[in-house]
């Protein structure tokens, strides 16, 4: 048999695509099960059933539940970072306000596309002070992605300061305030149907609130 046959490469690519598709299906199933059952209560059997794969197949892709959770959080956050980078790159020549709006839109669109991930994200944040090391196995990876998101917000705030779109007083807390406003809004939006107005309108409101506050 000729191991260098041209048929070998397409077969290998097909296997790689199948593995990637299976991996994506598992992550989507894990997202749903972790959000519904909680990080501590979710079972690998439930995730396998949701993904439509055998439990053995699940373990072929992920060593255990903790490694699956770490990969899910890292994967979704990397997608969020990629969306942020794209939004910032496409608006880099526009005024600060437009770049801020683009960033908030990217963040909102990502979490609306992955609503279950928001519940997981919030539980991860709440668990950090208790047993995150035991829960996630390797918190450094999870924290690194969180830092990457926050650094992009800090970079945008620095641009707003350079353009004098933001006042310098209290600037050190602006990134935390912006992320806090965004996460608070998304939690309420997903929990309260009354907030399900057009996303563009809500992004405009968040942008204006960050720039001008709530003063009359």
């Amino acid at each position: 048999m000729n191991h260098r046959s041209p048929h070998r490469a397409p077969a290998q690519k097909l296997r790689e695509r199948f593995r990637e598709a299976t991996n994506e299906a598992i992550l989507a199933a894990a997202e749903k099960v972790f959000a519904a059952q909680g990080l501590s209560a979710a079972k690998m059997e439930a995730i396998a059933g949701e993904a439509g794969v055998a439990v053995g197949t699940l373990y072929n892709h992920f060593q255990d539940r903790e490694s699956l959770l770490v990969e899910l959080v890292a994967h979704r956050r990397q997608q969020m970072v990629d969306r942020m980078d794209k939004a910032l790159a496409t608006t880099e020549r526009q005024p600060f306000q437009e770049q801020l709006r683009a960033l908030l839109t990217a963040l909102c669109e990502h979490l609306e596309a992955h609503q279950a991930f928001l519940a997981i994200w919030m539980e991860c944040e709440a668990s950090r002070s208790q047993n995150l090391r035991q829960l996630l196995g390797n918190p450094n990876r999870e924290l690194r992605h969180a830092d990457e998101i926050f650094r992009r917000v800090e970079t945008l705030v620095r641009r707003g300061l350079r353009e004098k779109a933001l006042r310098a007083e209290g600037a050190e807390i602006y990134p935390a305030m912006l992320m806090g406003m965004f996460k608070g809004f998304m939690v309420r939006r997903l929990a309260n149907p009354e907030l399900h107005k057009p996303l563009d309108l809500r992004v405009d409101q968040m942008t204006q609130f960050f720039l001008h506050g709530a003063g009359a």
Side-chain angles (χ1 to χ4, degrees):
M1 179 179 177
N2 181 5
H3 292 287
R4 296 184 179 180
S5 167
H7 297 290
R8 188 176 179 83
Q12 184 175 1
K13 289 181 179 179
L14 182 61
R15 285 194 296 271
E16 290 174 357
R17 287 199 299 270
F18 179 75
R19 182 174 180 81
E20 289 174 2
T22 303
N23 203 65
E24 285 290 339
I26 291 171
L27 290 177
E31 183 176 57
K32 185 174 181 179
V33 173
F34 277 126
Q37 299 182 7
L39 302 186
S40 300
K43 303 296 184 185
M44 291 291 269
E45 292 80 5
I47 295 171
E50 182 66 33
V53 302
V55 176
T57 301
L58 191 59
Y59 281 105
N60 285 337
H61 285 257
F62 298 97
Q63 180 179 354
D64 50 32
R65 186 189 63 171
E66 285 69 29
S67 63
L68 174 52
L69 175 58
V70 169
E71 180 61 28
L72 172 62
V73 171
H75 186 64
R76 290 291 183 250
R77 278 188 160 162
Q78 185 58 53
Q79 289 178 324
M80 184 182 292
V81 169
D82 292 343
R83 278 184 184 248
M84 294 172 75
D85 285 344
K86 183 178 180 180
L88 292 172
T90 55
T91 57
E92 63 179 345
R93 297 185 181 278
Q94 297 182 27
F96 169 75
Q97 180 172 331
E98 292 305 314
Q99 198 167 43
L100 171 62
R101 187 182 186 284
L103 183 70
L104 288 171
T105 298
L107 289 169
C108 289
E109 287 177 347
H110 179 74
L111 290 182
E112 289 224 323
H114 300 285
Q115 294 185 11
F117 175 65
L118 180 60
I120 296 169
W121 186 7
M122 294 298 103
E123 190 170 350
C124 285
E125 295 273 329
S127 300
R128 184 171 297 160
S129 61
Q130 302 171 19
N131 61 345
L132 184 61
R133 183 174 297 277
Q134 292 79 12
L135 190 61
L136 294 181
N138 180 9
N140 291 331
R141 186 179 184 188
E142 189 265 343
L143 293 174
R144 174 169 55 80
H145 280 88
D147 287 344
E148 287 178 0
I149 293 170
F150 198 76
R151 279 199 299 271
R152 282 153 177 79
V153 176
E154 288 180 318
T155 299
L156 181 59
V157 166
R158 285 196 294 270
R159 180 187 170 183
L161 292 168
R162 288 196 305 271
E163 293 184 8
K164 300 190 184 304
L166 301 174
R167 64 176 182 270
E169 181 184 0
E172 68 277 3
I173 65 171
Y174 290 171
M177 292 176 66
L178 180 58
M179 287 302 296
M181 177 185 69
F182 160 71
K183 287 197 289 186
F185 165 72
M186 287 306 301
V187 169
R188 291 298 300 155
R189 179 177 172 85
L190 295 177
N192 190 342
E194 292 181 3
L195 292 178
H196 277 260
K197 294 183 178 180
L199 192 59
D200 284 349
L201 173 61
R202 292 308 190 188
V203 169
D204 283 340
Q205 290 173 334
M206 282 191 287
T207 300
Q208 292 303 316
F209 185 84
F210 181 73
L211 290 174
H212 305 295

